[in-house]
Amino acid sequence: MINKYLFLFTLGPVQSFIAQARKTQDLYAGSQLLSELIKTAIDKVGPDNVIFPYVKGNNLYTEIESLPNRFIAEINKSESELAQFGQDVEQAVKDRFELIADEIFNDLVKPTDKNFRVLYKK
């Protein structure tokens, strides 16, 4: 039997993003990363199912720069599907995080014999 359930998704701990920031730019980057990951989770759940923050029927949430680290959605699933649904949302966020990390690290210059120099010698 399909019932309506409230689905609360929280991305955290946020404290680690704040505590490690040394500059305002670090805070901004951490906030952008969290917002991007929450957008991924909202996409997986479906924006029309989200109760808070209000994004129902509005794809403009993808243009919003900052979203909270949690959202509440109403989902229609059977009790046997609930755990798998939560795991699917979690996996989508993990996959997006790995993709972002790969993009960043692939853009870095990797040390080779030509562009690597020893900065310290005994």
Side-chain angles (χ1 to χ4, degrees):
M1 184 169 119
I2 294 179
N3 291 319
K4 290 184 179 183
Y5 293 94
L6 285 179
F7 178 74
L8 172 64
F9 184 85
T10 303
L11 193 59
V14 176
Q15 183 69 27
S16 63
F17 284 91
I18 295 169
Q20 293 179 11
R22 295 184 185 182
K23 300 177 184 177
T24 306
Q25 183 179 3
D26 297 340
L27 286 170
Y28 180 75
S31 176
Q32 290 297 104
L33 178 60
L34 289 171
S35 291
E36 184 65 29
L37 296 176
I38 283 294
K39 288 176 188 178
T40 301
I42 288 174
D43 285 339
K44 185 71 176 173
V45 170
D48 290 339
N49 298 324
V50 175
I51 298 169
F52 175 82
Y54 186 75
V55 294
K56 193 175 279 189
N58 184 357
N59 288 335
L60 293 177
Y61 80 95
T62 58
E63 298 173 15
I64 297 173
E65 288 191 28
S66 182
L67 287 170
N69 70 318
R70 65 179 55 191
F71 67 88
I72 299 172
E74 181 182 300
I75 57 171
N76 299 316
K77 300 283 182 193
S78 67
E79 195 170 330
S80 62
E81 297 174 308
L82 292 175
Q84 185 61 47
F85 177 77
Q87 291 170 357
D88 291 346
V89 175
E90 178 184 6
Q91 190 60 49
V93 172
K94 286 180 179 180
D95 291 344
R96 179 68 178 137
F97 182 78
E98 287 180 12
L99 182 67
I100 292 170
D102 287 344
E103 288 174 2
I104 290 169
F105 287 116
N106 286 337
D107 289 343
L108 294 176
V109 176
K110 296 174 181 70
T112 63
D113 292 338
K114 293 179 183 177
N115 64 6
F116 184 72
R117 59 186 177 138
V118 177
L119 299 176
Y120 176 78
K121 288 184 180 179
K122 281 191 173 183

